[in-house]
Amino acid sequence: MKNTGSCLCKQVTFEVSTFQGPIGHCHCKMCQKFHGAAFSTFVEVNKIDLNWLSGQELLKEYCADNDTVRTFCSCCGSSLLFESKYNRRTGSVEIALATFDSIETLHADAHIYTESKVDWFEINDDLPQYSQYRR
Ligand SMILES: [Zn+2]
Ligand SMILES: [Zn+2]
């Protein structure tokens, strides 16, 4: 099965051969703002395993004060990528999981940065919760 994704306007499309590492629901303030949602869900991939199929020229980057970089589609605003210093050191990047149209079965395994969880969303699953980054 091919793992393929796209932004809302469908001009940016990509495929991923292999996923790395754990998948967390991130409740940090920056993810809330970036997605306009209660939390984000990112999956880590090695950069060499991410292949842009179209629309790469539409990608725009936002660099935050804490040296993290978020990539979005400049046409439709879809939140696509997150990159921290850790990602740059390891040659990896985080992709917003909900932007995939076709994807192998993956499961989130934790809630992270729950110290800033919004009051209007209740966590009703049994996944471990970390107040900041997972330990
Ligand atoms: Zn778009
Ligand atoms: Zn976050």
Side-chain angles (χ1 to χ4, degrees):
M1 167 164 220
K2 282 210 166 182
N3 304 301
T4 55
S6 60
C7 63
L8 179 59
C9 74
K10 299 274 184 200
Q11 294 185 85
V12 177
T13 59
F14 55 88
E15 73 182 348
V16 169
S17 55
T18 313
F19 295 102
Q20 304 292 323
I23 299 169
H25 297 307
C26 184
H27 298 262
C28 83
K29 275 285 158 216
M30 296 176 79
C31 283
Q32 288 168 7
K33 294 283 187 190
F34 187 53
H35 287 288
F39 58 89
S40 70
T41 309
F42 282 106
V43 58
E44 188 179 316
V45 307
N46 287 329
K47 267 189 163 167
I48 48 165
D49 294 327
L50 165 63
N51 183 28
W52 298 105
L53 301 174
S54 67
Q56 204 173 353
E57 70 282 358
L58 290 171
L59 296 175
K60 236 182 155 165
E61 291 187 342
Y62 171 71
C63 303
D65 293 342
N66 65 351
D67 214 14
T68 56
V69 179
R70 291 174 188 264
T71 304
F72 58 96
C73 173
S74 60
C75 176
C76 67
S78 285
S79 316
L80 296 171
L81 304 183
F82 171 84
E83 200 180 298
S84 65
K85 273 178 275 190
Y86 159 81
N87 291 127
R88 281 195 287 282
R89 204 168 58 238
T90 59
S92 62
V93 69
E94 315 270 338
I95 305 180
L97 195 52
T99 59
F100 281 88
D101 301 304
S102 158
I103 190 169
E104 64 192 67
T105 305
L106 297 173
H107 296 287
D109 71 335
H111 291 272
I112 60 174
Y113 288 97
T114 56
E115 64 182 12
S116 50
K117 182 185 82 62
V118 294
D119 292 335
W120 43 268
F121 175 78
E122 298 302 323
I123 297 174
N124 287 321
D125 59 42
D126 297 326
L127 298 178
Q129 299 181 20
Y130 301 101
S131 64
Q132 295 192 343
Y133 195 68
R134 70 176 78 232
R135 292 175 288 273

